[in-house]
Structures are given as structure tokens and as C-alpha cells.
Amino acid sequence: MTDAVAVRPMTADEYAVWIARETEAYAADLAEAAGSTLDEARHRAEAQLAAFLPDGRETAGTFLLRVLDGEGEPVGTLWLGPHPQRADAGWVYEVEIDEDRRGEGLGRAAMLAAEQVGARAGWTALGLTVFGHNPRARALYDALGYRVASTTMTKPIS
């Protein structure tokens, strides 16, 4: 298990690769969570990402970061930005550790780094959304002291 990670801003090339991958991954999550088609979810993902990142990696108040392991090697990404409902808080829009590096404590360390970035930004809290089909992430957030603020549920009825 690792104790800490470092974070640094994404480069322009890293952002280009990340936004394309993020769009597809977010669309897949939306489709699974909402029971919609992948095409419908992709359109929704593209629209939401454009709204959240109108100036790409230069969007004010947003932190698009690479997560680095103890050797300084990139092992994931972290996207933080303003909380959608609270001016004093931030939001974890995404934390992702490379699949081949999961289980090493890097996700936990990345979330702790997110808290440090948020504190330096003057935020008093961090919020996030976790999809119901991701129990591993939910367990991590529970262990880090996050609490459920609301629950959205869905049931297919056809």
C-alpha cells in the first residue's frame, strides 16, 4: 500500500487524450446507470463535459491533474472543480487510477491529495457522486469519511 501520491496539472496532450477517454467512460456509466442507449448517453456526456469545462483545461476554478506514484510515474487522473451548489466547496468530478495499478492504495492517496488541493483553493468541503454500480469506489469514500447526502434510484419498467 502507498502512503502518498503527488499531483500535477495535465499537459495539453494529456488533456486531449483524457477528454476523449472521459467522454466515452462517462457515457458508458450514464448508459448503465440510466438504462439508456450508449448513443443517447454519449450525447448527454458530451453536453455535460462541455458545460463543466467550457475552456477545457484552462477552465477557471478547475483542477485537471495527473496522479503520480512515489516514483513520479503517472498512474491516474483527478478532476476537481467548483461544487455545483455551494460556493464554499469543491467537487470531485473524477478520480481514476490506471487499471493495472488499482489495489495499491493510490485511489485513497489521490483522494487525500484532492483534499489538500481543495484546502489550498479555500474550499471547506468536497462533494462527489458515485454510481451505484461501483461498490469499490463507494467503500473507499465511506472509509475516507464521506457521507451520503442524497440517493437517486432507478428501476427499469418494461
Side-chain angles (χ1 to χ4, degrees), residues 8-157:
R8 65 158 172 78
M10 286 183 193
T11 66
D13 288 342
E14 289 170 335
Y15 176 78
V17 170
W18 173 81
I19 195 67
R21 191 179 65 238
E22 179 64 13
T23 300
E24 290 305 309
Y26 186 41
D29 279 342
L30 288 173
E32 184 172 344
S36 63
T37 69
L38 188 55
D39 282 339
E40 291 169 338
R42 187 177 294 112
H43 291 299
R44 185 173 165 206
E46 288 169 351
Q48 287 182 355
L49 289 168
F52 288 133
L53 298 168
D55 297 318
R57 69 186 187 103
E58 303 299 325
T59 300
T62 298
F63 302 89
L64 292 161
L65 307 167
R66 288 304 311 259
V67 178
L68 310 174
D69 68 10
E71 304 298 318
E73 293 298 316
V75 295
T77 56
L78 182 60
W79 171 20
L80 308 172
H83 192 289
Q85 298 166 337
R86 291 181 52 185
D88 67 328
W91 194 261
V92 180
Y93 286 93
E94 188 219 24
V95 58
E96 183 174 8
I97 301 301
D98 296 344
E99 194 168 332
D100 64 336
R101 298 297 303 270
R102 293 179 186 164
E104 298 178 31
L106 295 164
R108 179 178 182 11
M111 289 301 295
L112 294 173
E115 292 176 17
Q116 293 173 355
V117 170
R120 285 193 300 272
W123 297 336
T124 61
L126 277 178
L128 55 83
T129 297
V130 59
F131 286 107
H133 61 267
N134 193 347
R136 187 173 185 177
R138 173 65 192 270
L140 170 63
Y141 304 140
D142 286 343
L144 287 170
Y146 286 79
R147 62 177 180 76
V148 174
S150 68
T151 302
T152 301
M153 301 176 78
T154 188
K155 177 184 176 184
I157 53 166

